[in-house]
Amino acid sequence: MGAIWGQNRRNDPQEALAFLEALLIGCEAGAGETVLVGGGPASGKTQLQNQVVASARELGILTLTATGAADEQDVAGGVIDQLLASPALPGVLTERYPGDGTDDGIAGLCSAVHRLARERAVLVAVDDLHHVDETSARLLLRLQRRTRSAGLLLVFNHADSWYGGGGQPFAAQPHRHVQLTPLSVRAIAELVAAEDQDVVPEQIHELSGGNPLLVNALLDAHRGSADTGSAYSEAVQRLLHHYDSPLREVATAIAVLDTDVTTDAVALVAGVDPLDAETSAGRLADTGLIAGVRFRQPPAAAAVVGGLRGPEKVRLHARAAEVKHARGLPPADVARHLVAAGEANAEWALPVLVAAAEEVMLADDIDFATRCLKLAASVAAARWEQQMISQLLAKITWRVNPAAAAPHRQSLRDAGDSLDQADRIALARQALWLGERDTFEGAFGALRDDIEPLDPRTAAEFGLAGHWHYGVSAASAEPDDPWLRTANALAAVWHTGGTEATSACAERILQNCRLSDTSLEALATAILALAHDNKADRAEGWWTSLSEEAEYRGAVTWKAMLDAVGASLLLRRGDAAGAAERAKAALALLDAPNWGVAICHPLATLLSAHTATGAFKEAAAVLRHPLPDAAMTTLGGVRYLRARGHFHLATNRGLAAVSDFQQCQRILREWNLELPTIVPWRTDLAEGNLRLGNPTLAVELARQQLACAAPTDAYSRGAALRVLALAGDAAARPGLLGRAAEAFRGSGDRLELAKTMRTLNQLGQRAERATGLVKPVHVPRQAARSPLARPPAAARPALARPEPASASSALSEAELRVAELAAEGHTNRQIAQTLYITVSTVEQHLTRVYRKLGVAGRASLASELTPVENPRSHF
């Protein structure tokens, strides 16, 4: 190969290695060459030279190696000493060099190396040529001029800036120039294939920009199953230390800014001349690390910034904040640097921090918003500034840490009439959570009376929140407003049980209310309303969606509350073990002070779940959990009392159970509330009295519950019927239990359905043992199915009667029961008392029966209906 002055090649390290290995073959054949290898910091020059040296030794080529060092440039002949230190070097060669650095000495050594290269191939490899001492550089220049006439290959690595400056004497001599470029995807693929690593070359290239140091770090991490992220960060920081000034300062400034800005902005942050910043940015772009004036990969920028410490970190971020503020960038972009610096001394800093907090809260970045406001508070001097910041902190902190909002909440109370609408909403929201009813009603009343009207959606949400915590709505009745009308109709679920009307309203609320601080209880009510209407799948579908959203948005308080709702859904499903786990998960998200009075909900569910599974030791542990003082002033506290009462019942503490149920009664009567769907205290007291041996009082209480229950309240009716079955006539017990099972199935409460079915089965087993025969039981077919099986759509229950008449198939179950008793000769009043319905209802059923069967009256019923065994004969 003929020598060429300055022929330039741009190769990645893999391509350059192939090129140099070809020159080694030529060297063996007696063809000499000089190759100057350039490239940015950590571009792979040293690794390339090491590979060339290894290849030369494999070929039997004599190799002389040395490395220049900045701190040894004043040591005359330092690099020559390294070259002559090779153990393979003939002694006669070293004898030719006296080591005095004179021209004669240099000339003699050069001639000796040249003669040796005519006898055998020689490779002279010098790394960091730009740091070689002056004496050694004279020898290398002499050798460069003589490479064409011997098998002498010179490979010199140099810094990019040296080639066109201090390296001019070498560049002026015959040579080839290789400029190293980043590794291509193909080159990385070859490295991966050689080691049979299961990695994607494109991903490695995307992260590294092809920089050999980063590529090798990522491959090493994968090879050793190490943390790729940590290995990458460490490699980026090592790469930065390879850079000299001003390249290092410019790279750091670009990483700190992490925004598309001009090189002038980079120069201001880096503290360098704009021209140097532009040149350095170009060199960094050549390495593949940056594109334009920004790191190609955010993790690389983060790694550089993560390596900053102390005053340097403060100085750079403070400069970056000033530069971005001067250029009018969004407040959040500026504030990130102020927060990172930990100081905000400029006059413009405080309003920027406040604006940034409000801006990022729109994206649910609660943590950064809090940090902005805390830094702003540290520099706020005026009282009005401190109060404003405290009010903002109260609003945003509640979502993740309600207890931490307490010091700031006082500023909301102290502000009085000066609060704006958003502040009053925040005060009302937090008062609800803590059980501060007077504060809530005062704040909400001010919202209603304010000149600026409260939007109907927020009013509806607060109305449902009032129902959730206190059983009443704080919102005024506005029959013409669809929001409030929907909310009031939905809240009726606690009085009437689940109906098509409450489910329709629940769907509207779920579809139209975005998950927020004010909508939490409204959405929870809607989910449970669907469950109470036997629409468990819809309820759980909505719960899953909202729970995932709360987690994604980082709202711990929302997530905890929704998990508590999810636990109650599982309990109604009959999955007591799953309910316990979900309730515990909810409780783990917030500690007791952060839960406020809302802690009663997961605790009540957890207590009920443990009681249902017989885990009484675990249930007793739940009772030791402290409750807020205000807990028993809320419906959550009443639910907890009820759950505790049933635990006492299950553990044979009848007196304690009755005390709890009586306390539920007193609280609800004091509030003038009747909420049988969630607190049917009459049937609870009836169960307690039945356990204490007072069946007469139990029957009376159960009848009262039936009388006050809405026709659509299947749960209350089921509970009352079950008590009547257990406390009343044994002959009527199977039929009443069957009706109770029907009611629980209709309400979607599979846990209560399972309890009822167990009682029915026990009755059947007792009868079998007593008579030796399996007696037919007057039980609805649907009630006899597994309590955890999902009912078929639009299924209507039918009586399991022996050989039913075809005419009776036209009758509903209720109509058939009335018709059978009438056929047996019972009066309308007797039928009403037996079935626990009104005389008017009996008359309406009979009218429909006569019409469907085409008979004139009850005298004709006996011939139309197949005789049914008297239920009283079953037991």
Side-chain angles (χ1 to χ4, degrees), residues 418-697:
S418 65
L419 289 177
D420 61 17
Q421 186 179 90
D423 290 332
R424 288 197 177 102
I425 288 174
L427 182 58
R429 163 67 278 173
Q430 295 177 38
L432 270 175
W433 191 257
L434 296 174
E436 298 172 353
R437 186 167 184 173
D438 291 342
T439 302
F440 165 68
E441 291 178 346
F444 195 75
L447 284 168
R448 286 199 313 262
D449 301 336
D450 198 8
I451 297 175
E452 181 184 359
L454 184 63
D455 71 277
R457 182 179 69 181
T458 304
E461 290 170 348
F462 270 124
L464 286 168
H467 277 291
W468 180 273
H469 290 283
Y470 303 117
V472 293
S473 173
S476 58
E478 298 287 346
D480 294 333
D481 182 79
W483 275 101
L484 294 176
R485 189 166 61 248
T486 299
N488 290 334
L490 174 58
V493 69
W494 308 135
H495 303 270
T496 66
T499 65
E500 286 300 321
T502 58
S503 290
C505 292
E507 292 283 0
R508 290 192 202 108
I509 291 294
L510 289 164
Q511 290 165 359
N512 290 278
C513 289
R514 184 175 185 264
L515 182 58
S516 68
D517 292 341
T518 58
S519 70
L520 196 55
E521 290 90 347
L523 295 170
T525 301
I527 290 171
L528 290 180
L530 292 173
H532 278 274
D533 191 29
N534 201 12
K535 293 180 171 60
D537 288 345
R538 292 292 298 166
E540 291 179 8
W542 277 108
W543 172 81
T544 300
S545 175
L546 291 169
S547 179
E548 289 175 352
E549 180 183 348
E551 184 171 11
Y552 174 77
R553 294 172 65 185
V556 181
T557 304
W558 301 352
K559 172 67 174 167
M561 181 65 174
L562 287 167
D563 276 2
V565 172
S568 65
L569 292 179
L570 286 177
L571 191 62
R572 287 182 60 83
R573 278 274 200 189
D575 183 2
E581 290 303 313
R582 190 171 287 172
K584 285 189 285 189
L587 289 165
L589 288 173
L590 295 173
D591 56 20
N594 279 316
W595 264 106
V597 295
I599 198 172
C600 295
H601 293 275
L603 285 178
T605 302
L606 183 59
L607 180 55
S608 298
H610 284 323
T611 301
T613 58
F616 299 133
K617 182 178 179 180
E618 290 81 358
V622 176
L623 296 178
R624 293 193 290 271
H625 201 294
L627 294 177
D629 293 339
M632 293 308 158
T633 66
T634 68
L635 276 181
V638 178
R639 291 182 177 187
Y640 176 85
L641 274 177
R642 182 173 186 248
R644 189 173 72 183
H646 281 284
F647 164 72
H648 289 320
L649 270 184
T651 53
N652 298 315
R653 296 180 176 93
L655 288 173
V658 167
S659 294
D660 282 340
F661 298 145
Q662 286 175 337
Q663 189 175 354
C664 293
Q665 173 193 11
R666 284 193 298 270
I667 292 172
L668 291 178
R669 281 187 166 173
E670 182 181 333
W671 296 348
N672 196 27
L673 288 178
E674 191 69 54
L675 303 171
T677 301
I678 51 176
V679 190
W681 58 265
R682 292 178 181 82
T683 48
D684 292 337
L685 273 174
E687 287 190 57
N689 278 283
L690 189 59
R691 186 65 60 87
L692 293 175
N694 301 320
T696 302
L697 180 55

